[in-house]
Amino acid sequence: MTERVAVYPGSFDPITRGHEDIVRRALGFVDRVIVAVAHQRTQPKPGLFTIAERVELIRSVFGSEPRVTATDFTGLLVDFARAQNVHIIIRGLRAVSDFEYEFQMALMNRQLYPEVQTIFLAPDEHYSYLSASLVREIAALGGDIARFVAPWVLTALHRKLEETR
Ligand code: PNS
């Protein structure tokens, strides 16, 4: 039987418990998930971690899960998916406010790569308000983010914020 593989693309700056939750949900119906950190983002946002650091953090979070791999990609997501022979894109949908942007991307990606399907997953409701940008901001302002990220991500965030101070 052919392996069912999905790509879960994003900025992952850094990976949060919400992202982890989406990956675990996807593993319920695919054999393997490629978590792919984009060099080109659709919306310009300032980054904190380098792309390589983000990939490393994802690898450390899923170290004991052989069905999850992490990598980065340049250029279009559909070109990456096609090169990997992947036909499933996973995206998390936290709230209605995410919908317009996500729907537009899904339809555009399907225009560019008709064999691809985007599957939207709802996170655990405890994570529906969670975003990497809020985590970065709260951490930078001294707030407690321990419950929103894995322990090594927390350590890396504190170290990174120290460096950039
Ligand atoms: O976590 P994000 O920042 O919301 O993820 C957005 C991402 C990386 C999935 C999107 O910007 C993307 O796919 N970028 C790759 C470039 C691309 O394919 N752009 C056209 C999208 S229709």
Side-chain angles (χ1 to χ4, degrees), residues 8 16-26 91-95 120-131 147-148:
Y8 178 34
T16 67
R17 291 291 196 201
H19 297 128
E20 290 178 46
D21 180 66
I22 295 294
V23 171
R24 293 190 205 289
R25 285 175 196 283
R91 291 286 288 172
L93 212 50
R94 289 166 301 190
F120 298 117
L121 296 179
D124 186 294
E125 55 272 26
H126 291 107
Y127 301 130
S128 62
Y129 55 86
L130 185 54
S131 72
R147 83 203 101 128
F148 304 135

mmCIF file of all heavy atoms in Angstrom, residues 8 16-26 91-95 120-131 147-148:
data_model
loop_
_atom_site.group_PDB
_atom_site.id
_atom_site.type_symbol
_atom_site.label_atom_id
_atom_site.label_comp_id
_atom_site.label_asym_id
_atom_site.label_seq_id
_atom_site.Cartn_x
_atom_site.Cartn_y
_atom_site.Cartn_z
ATOM 1 N N TYR A 8 3.055 19.795 6.388
ATOM 2 C CA TYR A 8 2.480 20.813 7.274
ATOM 3 C C TYR A 8 3.415 22.020 7.198
ATOM 4 O O TYR A 8 4.444 22.048 7.863
ATOM 5 C CB TYR A 8 2.375 20.237 8.689
ATOM 6 C CG TYR A 8 1.841 21.188 9.743
ATOM 7 C CD1 TYR A 8 0.868 22.146 9.440
ATOM 8 C CD2 TYR A 8 2.282 21.113 11.056
ATOM 9 C CE1 TYR A 8 0.377 22.997 10.419
ATOM 10 C CE2 TYR A 8 1.801 21.952 12.048
ATOM 11 C CZ TYR A 8 0.851 22.897 11.719
ATOM 12 O OH TYR A 8 0.365 23.751 12.689
ATOM 13 N N THR A 16 4.910 25.850 18.485
ATOM 14 C CA THR A 16 4.175 25.958 19.752
ATOM 15 C C THR A 16 3.426 24.656 20.035
ATOM 16 O O THR A 16 3.366 23.768 19.172
ATOM 17 C CB THR A 16 3.117 27.088 19.679
ATOM 18 O OG1 THR A 16 2.115 26.693 18.732
ATOM 19 C CG2 THR A 16 3.732 28.422 19.273
ATOM 20 N N ARG A 17 2.815 24.599 21.199
ATOM 21 C CA ARG A 17 1.988 23.437 21.556
ATOM 22 C C ARG A 17 0.811 23.305 20.583
ATOM 23 O O ARG A 17 0.325 22.207 20.340
ATOM 24 C CB ARG A 17 1.456 23.583 22.983
ATOM 25 C CG ARG A 17 2.535 23.475 24.045
ATOM 26 C CD ARG A 17 3.079 22.070 24.130
ATOM 27 N NE ARG A 17 3.825 21.829 25.363
ATOM 28 C CZ ARG A 17 4.708 20.865 25.508
ATOM 29 N NH1 ARG A 17 4.993 20.045 24.498
ATOM 30 N NH2 ARG A 17 5.331 20.699 26.643
ATOM 31 N N GLY A 18 0.367 24.433 20.029
ATOM 32 C CA GLY A 18 -0.727 24.404 19.051
ATOM 33 C C GLY A 18 -0.299 23.691 17.775
ATOM 34 O O GLY A 18 -1.033 22.855 17.236
ATOM 35 N N HIS A 19 0.912 23.990 17.290
ATOM 36 C CA HIS A 19 1.439 23.295 16.111
ATOM 37 C C HIS A 19 1.585 21.794 16.404
ATOM 38 O O HIS A 19 1.250 20.952 15.570
ATOM 39 C CB HIS A 19 2.821 23.840 15.725
ATOM 40 C CG HIS A 19 2.843 25.274 15.314
ATOM 41 N ND1 HIS A 19 3.706 26.186 15.871
ATOM 42 C CD2 HIS A 19 2.126 25.964 14.396
ATOM 43 C CE1 HIS A 19 3.521 27.363 15.298
ATOM 44 N NE2 HIS A 19 2.563 27.259 14.409
ATOM 45 N N GLU A 20 2.123 21.488 17.588
ATOM 46 C CA GLU A 20 2.320 20.077 17.960
ATOM 47 C C GLU A 20 0.993 19.334 17.925
ATOM 48 O O GLU A 20 0.904 18.200 17.440
ATOM 49 C CB GLU A 20 2.882 19.960 19.386
ATOM 50 C CG GLU A 20 4.310 20.413 19.534
ATOM 51 C CD GLU A 20 4.759 20.299 20.999
ATOM 52 O OE1 GLU A 20 4.504 19.261 21.643
ATOM 53 O OE2 GLU A 20 5.353 21.285 21.492
ATOM 54 N N ASP A 21 -0.035 19.998 18.433
ATOM 55 C CA ASP A 21 -1.371 19.401 18.477
ATOM 56 C C ASP A 21 -1.873 19.087 17.059
ATOM 57 O O ASP A 21 -2.436 18.014 16.811
ATOM 58 C CB ASP A 21 -2.306 20.393 19.193
ATOM 59 C CG ASP A 21 -3.726 19.876 19.295
ATOM 60 O OD1 ASP A 21 -3.935 18.880 20.001
ATOM 61 O OD2 ASP A 21 -4.610 20.462 18.649
ATOM 62 N N ILE A 22 -1.633 20.003 16.136
ATOM 63 C CA ILE A 22 -2.080 19.789 14.748
ATOM 64 C C ILE A 22 -1.337 18.596 14.137
ATOM 65 O O ILE A 22 -1.935 17.739 13.474
ATOM 66 C CB ILE A 22 -1.860 21.075 13.903
ATOM 67 C CG1 ILE A 22 -2.747 22.219 14.406
ATOM 68 C CG2 ILE A 22 -2.080 20.807 12.414
ATOM 69 C CD1 ILE A 22 -4.241 22.012 14.228
ATOM 70 N N VAL A 23 -0.026 18.514 14.378
ATOM 71 C CA VAL A 23 0.757 17.393 13.833
ATOM 72 C C VAL A 23 0.212 16.067 14.365
ATOM 73 O O VAL A 23 -0.011 15.116 13.603
ATOM 74 C CB VAL A 23 2.264 17.527 14.184
ATOM 75 C CG1 VAL A 23 3.024 16.261 13.803
ATOM 76 C CG2 VAL A 23 2.865 18.741 13.494
ATOM 77 N N ARG A 24 -0.055 16.006 15.663
ATOM 78 C CA ARG A 24 -0.540 14.752 16.256
ATOM 79 C C ARG A 24 -1.920 14.377 15.708
ATOM 80 O O ARG A 24 -2.221 13.209 15.492
ATOM 81 C CB ARG A 24 -0.547 14.854 17.784
ATOM 82 C CG ARG A 24 0.864 14.940 18.342
ATOM 83 C CD ARG A 24 0.950 14.801 19.845
ATOM 84 N NE ARG A 24 2.148 15.458 20.350
ATOM 85 C CZ ARG A 24 3.388 15.018 20.181
ATOM 86 N NH1 ARG A 24 3.603 13.900 19.529
ATOM 87 N NH2 ARG A 24 4.422 15.707 20.649
ATOM 88 N N ARG A 25 -2.743 15.370 15.472
ATOM 89 C CA ARG A 25 -4.061 15.080 14.877
ATOM 90 C C ARG A 25 -3.888 14.538 13.455
ATOM 91 O O ARG A 25 -4.566 13.590 13.055
ATOM 92 C CB ARG A 25 -4.928 16.341 14.856
ATOM 93 C CG ARG A 25 -5.459 16.681 16.198
ATOM 94 C CD ARG A 25 -6.215 17.987 16.257
ATOM 95 N NE ARG A 25 -6.328 18.363 17.654
ATOM 96 C CZ ARG A 25 -7.179 17.820 18.518
ATOM 97 N NH1 ARG A 25 -8.034 16.914 18.110
ATOM 98 N NH2 ARG A 25 -7.176 18.174 19.789
ATOM 99 N N ALA A 26 -2.968 15.139 12.702
ATOM 100 C CA ALA A 26 -2.737 14.676 11.328
ATOM 101 C C ALA A 26 -2.242 13.231 11.318
ATOM 102 O O ALA A 26 -2.612 12.435 10.443
ATOM 103 C CB ALA A 26 -1.737 15.598 10.634
ATOM 104 N N ARG A 91 -3.189 22.376 7.368
ATOM 105 C CA ARG A 91 -3.137 23.697 7.999
ATOM 106 C C ARG A 91 -4.068 23.700 9.200
ATOM 107 O O ARG A 91 -5.152 23.097 9.160
ATOM 108 C CB ARG A 91 -3.564 24.795 7.011
ATOM 109 C CG ARG A 91 -2.584 25.032 5.894
ATOM 110 C CD ARG A 91 -1.337 25.765 6.316
ATOM 111 N NE ARG A 91 -1.576 27.173 6.614
ATOM 112 C CZ ARG A 91 -0.654 27.966 7.150
ATOM 113 N NH1 ARG A 91 0.549 27.507 7.475
ATOM 114 N NH2 ARG A 91 -0.934 29.232 7.384
ATOM 115 N N GLY A 92 -3.658 24.380 10.241
ATOM 116 C CA GLY A 92 -4.511 24.532 11.415
ATOM 117 C C GLY A 92 -5.421 25.740 11.224
ATOM 118 O O GLY A 92 -4.998 26.759 10.673
ATOM 119 N N LEU A 93 -6.661 25.603 11.669
ATOM 120 C CA LEU A 93 -7.614 26.710 11.576
ATOM 121 C C LEU A 93 -8.070 27.009 13.000
ATOM 122 O O LEU A 93 -8.807 26.230 13.599
ATOM 123 C CB LEU A 93 -8.792 26.259 10.708
ATOM 124 C CG LEU A 93 -9.517 27.282 9.857
ATOM 125 C CD1 LEU A 93 -8.567 28.112 9.022
ATOM 126 C CD2 LEU A 93 -10.513 26.575 8.952
ATOM 127 N N ARG A 94 -7.600 28.142 13.529
ATOM 128 C CA ARG A 94 -7.895 28.426 14.938
ATOM 129 C C ARG A 94 -9.221 29.130 15.122
ATOM 130 O O ARG A 94 -9.935 28.893 16.077
ATOM 131 C CB ARG A 94 -6.784 29.306 15.540
ATOM 132 C CG ARG A 94 -5.485 28.589 15.725
ATOM 133 C CD ARG A 94 -4.384 29.558 15.981
ATOM 134 N NE ARG A 94 -4.269 30.492 14.863
ATOM 135 C CZ ARG A 94 -3.274 31.341 14.701
ATOM 136 N NH1 ARG A 94 -2.314 31.410 15.588
ATOM 137 N NH2 ARG A 94 -3.235 32.146 13.661
ATOM 138 N N ALA A 95 -9.515 30.043 14.215
ATOM 139 C CA ALA A 95 -10.722 30.859 14.378
ATOM 140 C C ALA A 95 -11.198 31.290 13.009
ATOM 141 O O ALA A 95 -10.488 31.136 12.010
ATOM 142 C CB ALA A 95 -10.390 32.084 15.225
ATOM 143 N N PHE A 120 -7.878 21.243 6.591
ATOM 144 C CA PHE A 120 -7.827 22.132 7.749
ATOM 145 C C PHE A 120 -8.178 21.351 9.006
ATOM 146 O O PHE A 120 -9.188 20.638 9.028
ATOM 147 C CB PHE A 120 -8.833 23.279 7.590
ATOM 148 C CG PHE A 120 -8.557 24.163 6.411
ATOM 149 C CD1 PHE A 120 -9.469 24.266 5.374
ATOM 150 C CD2 PHE A 120 -7.380 24.888 6.346
ATOM 151 C CE1 PHE A 120 -9.214 25.081 4.286
ATOM 152 C CE2 PHE A 120 -7.118 25.702 5.254
ATOM 153 C CZ PHE A 120 -8.035 25.805 4.228
ATOM 154 N N LEU A 121 -7.361 21.532 10.019
ATOM 155 C CA LEU A 121 -7.629 20.853 11.287
ATOM 156 C C LEU A 121 -7.855 21.888 12.385
ATOM 157 O O LEU A 121 -7.134 22.897 12.461
ATOM 158 C CB LEU A 121 -6.452 19.952 11.665
ATOM 159 C CG LEU A 121 -6.169 18.792 10.703
ATOM 160 C CD1 LEU A 121 -4.964 17.992 11.183
ATOM 161 C CD2 LEU A 121 -7.386 17.881 10.593
ATOM 162 N N ALA A 122 -8.842 21.617 13.208
ATOM 163 C CA ALA A 122 -9.101 22.501 14.353
ATOM 164 C C ALA A 122 -8.245 22.036 15.520
ATOM 165 O O ALA A 122 -8.238 20.842 15.843
ATOM 166 C CB ALA A 122 -10.576 22.426 14.718
ATOM 167 N N PRO A 123 -7.526 22.943 16.149
ATOM 168 C CA PRO A 123 -6.700 22.526 17.291
ATOM 169 C C PRO A 123 -7.565 22.276 18.519
ATOM 170 O O PRO A 123 -8.739 22.656 18.556
ATOM 171 C CB PRO A 123 -5.796 23.739 17.525
ATOM 172 C CG PRO A 123 -6.596 24.898 17.048
ATOM 173 C CD PRO A 123 -7.444 24.383 15.909
ATOM 174 N N ASP A 124 -6.982 21.670 19.518
ATOM 175 C CA ASP A 124 -7.618 21.592 20.830
ATOM 176 C C ASP A 124 -8.039 23.012 21.226
ATOM 177 O O ASP A 124 -7.294 23.966 20.989
ATOM 178 C CB ASP A 124 -6.567 21.058 21.824
ATOM 179 C CG ASP A 124 -7.156 20.797 23.182
ATOM 180 O OD1 ASP A 124 -7.568 21.767 23.859
ATOM 181 O OD2 ASP A 124 -7.193 19.632 23.569
ATOM 182 N N GLU A 125 -9.213 23.146 21.811
ATOM 183 C CA GLU A 125 -9.723 24.504 22.109
ATOM 184 C C GLU A 125 -8.790 25.288 23.042
ATOM 185 O O GLU A 125 -8.785 26.512 23.039
ATOM 186 C CB GLU A 125 -11.159 24.471 22.646
ATOM 187 C CG GLU A 125 -11.404 23.618 23.850
ATOM 188 C CD GLU A 125 -11.744 22.168 23.484
ATOM 189 O OE1 GLU A 125 -11.339 21.691 22.395
ATOM 190 O OE2 GLU A 125 -12.381 21.489 24.311
ATOM 191 N N HIS A 126 -7.971 24.575 23.807
ATOM 192 C CA HIS A 126 -7.018 25.272 24.688
ATOM 193 C C HIS A 126 -5.968 26.033 23.891
ATOM 194 O O HIS A 126 -5.281 26.892 24.420
ATOM 195 C CB HIS A 126 -6.301 24.267 25.596
ATOM 196 C CG HIS A 126 -7.204 23.668 26.606
ATOM 197 N ND1 HIS A 126 -7.642 22.367 26.534
ATOM 198 C CD2 HIS A 126 -7.804 24.219 27.687
ATOM 199 C CE1 HIS A 126 -8.463 22.137 27.545
ATOM 200 N NE2 HIS A 126 -8.577 23.232 28.242
ATOM 201 N N TYR A 127 -5.819 25.674 22.618
ATOM 202 C CA TYR A 127 -4.779 26.312 21.794
ATOM 203 C C TYR A 127 -5.371 27.242 20.738
ATOM 204 O O TYR A 127 -4.648 27.764 19.903
ATOM 205 C CB TYR A 127 -3.934 25.238 21.106
ATOM 206 C CG TYR A 127 -3.254 24.302 22.072
ATOM 207 C CD1 TYR A 127 -3.347 22.926 21.916
ATOM 208 C CD2 TYR A 127 -2.517 24.802 23.143
ATOM 209 C CE1 TYR A 127 -2.736 22.060 22.802
ATOM 210 C CE2 TYR A 127 -1.905 23.951 24.040
ATOM 211 C CZ TYR A 127 -2.017 22.574 23.855
ATOM 212 O OH TYR A 127 -1.410 21.732 24.734
ATOM 213 N N SER A 128 -6.676 27.450 20.774
ATOM 214 C CA SER A 128 -7.310 28.198 19.683
ATOM 215 C C SER A 128 -6.894 29.673 19.691
ATOM 216 O O SER A 128 -7.029 30.360 18.692
ATOM 217 C CB SER A 128 -8.822 28.054 19.749
ATOM 218 O OG SER A 128 -9.271 28.600 20.956
ATOM 219 N N TYR A 129 -6.382 30.150 20.797
ATOM 220 C CA TYR A 129 -5.957 31.557 20.900
ATOM 221 C C TYR A 129 -4.437 31.694 20.741
ATOM 222 O O TYR A 129 -3.901 32.792 20.796
ATOM 223 C CB TYR A 129 -6.355 32.113 22.287
ATOM 224 C CG TYR A 129 -5.794 31.249 23.393
ATOM 225 C CD1 TYR A 129 -4.508 31.452 23.883
ATOM 226 C CD2 TYR A 129 -6.525 30.169 23.884
ATOM 227 C CE1 TYR A 129 -3.968 30.622 24.840
ATOM 228 C CE2 TYR A 129 -5.988 29.333 24.839
ATOM 229 C CZ TYR A 129 -4.710 29.576 25.318
ATOM 230 O OH TYR A 129 -4.166 28.732 26.244
ATOM 231 N N LEU A 130 -3.776 30.565 20.561
ATOM 232 C CA LEU A 130 -2.305 30.552 20.614
ATOM 233 C C LEU A 130 -1.688 30.849 19.250
ATOM 234 O O LEU A 130 -2.132 30.333 18.237
ATOM 235 C CB LEU A 130 -1.880 29.152 21.084
ATOM 236 C CG LEU A 130 -0.417 28.860 21.338
ATOM 237 C CD1 LEU A 130 0.193 29.855 22.301
ATOM 238 C CD2 LEU A 130 -0.285 27.441 21.903
ATOM 239 N N SER A 131 -0.676 31.712 19.235
ATOM 240 C CA SER A 131 0.068 31.939 17.991
ATOM 241 C C SER A 131 1.536 32.157 18.350
ATOM 242 O O SER A 131 1.858 32.629 19.457
ATOM 243 C CB SER A 131 -0.473 33.159 17.240
ATOM 244 O OG SER A 131 -0.106 34.339 17.906
ATOM 245 N N ARG A 147 3.567 27.088 29.348
ATOM 246 C CA ARG A 147 2.533 26.111 28.964
ATOM 247 C C ARG A 147 2.215 26.154 27.477
ATOM 248 O O ARG A 147 1.437 25.356 26.975
ATOM 249 C CB ARG A 147 1.304 26.267 29.848
ATOM 250 C CG ARG A 147 0.321 27.324 29.484
ATOM 251 C CD ARG A 147 -0.477 27.723 30.692
ATOM 252 N NE ARG A 147 0.082 28.979 31.184
ATOM 253 C CZ ARG A 147 -0.643 30.046 31.421
ATOM 254 N NH1 ARG A 147 -1.942 29.995 31.293
ATOM 255 N NH2 ARG A 147 -0.092 31.165 31.821
ATOM 256 N N PHE A 148 2.842 27.082 26.774
ATOM 257 C CA PHE A 148 2.519 27.225 25.348
ATOM 258 C C PHE A 148 3.549 26.586 24.413
ATOM 259 O O PHE A 148 3.296 26.463 23.211
ATOM 260 C CB PHE A 148 2.395 28.711 24.975
ATOM 261 C CG PHE A 148 1.402 29.463 25.809
ATOM 262 C CD1 PHE A 148 1.704 30.704 26.323
ATOM 263 C CD2 PHE A 148 0.147 28.913 26.064
ATOM 264 C CE1 PHE A 148 0.774 31.396 27.089
ATOM 265 C CE2 PHE A 148 -0.785 29.596 26.834
ATOM 266 C CZ PHE A 148 -0.473 30.840 27.347
#
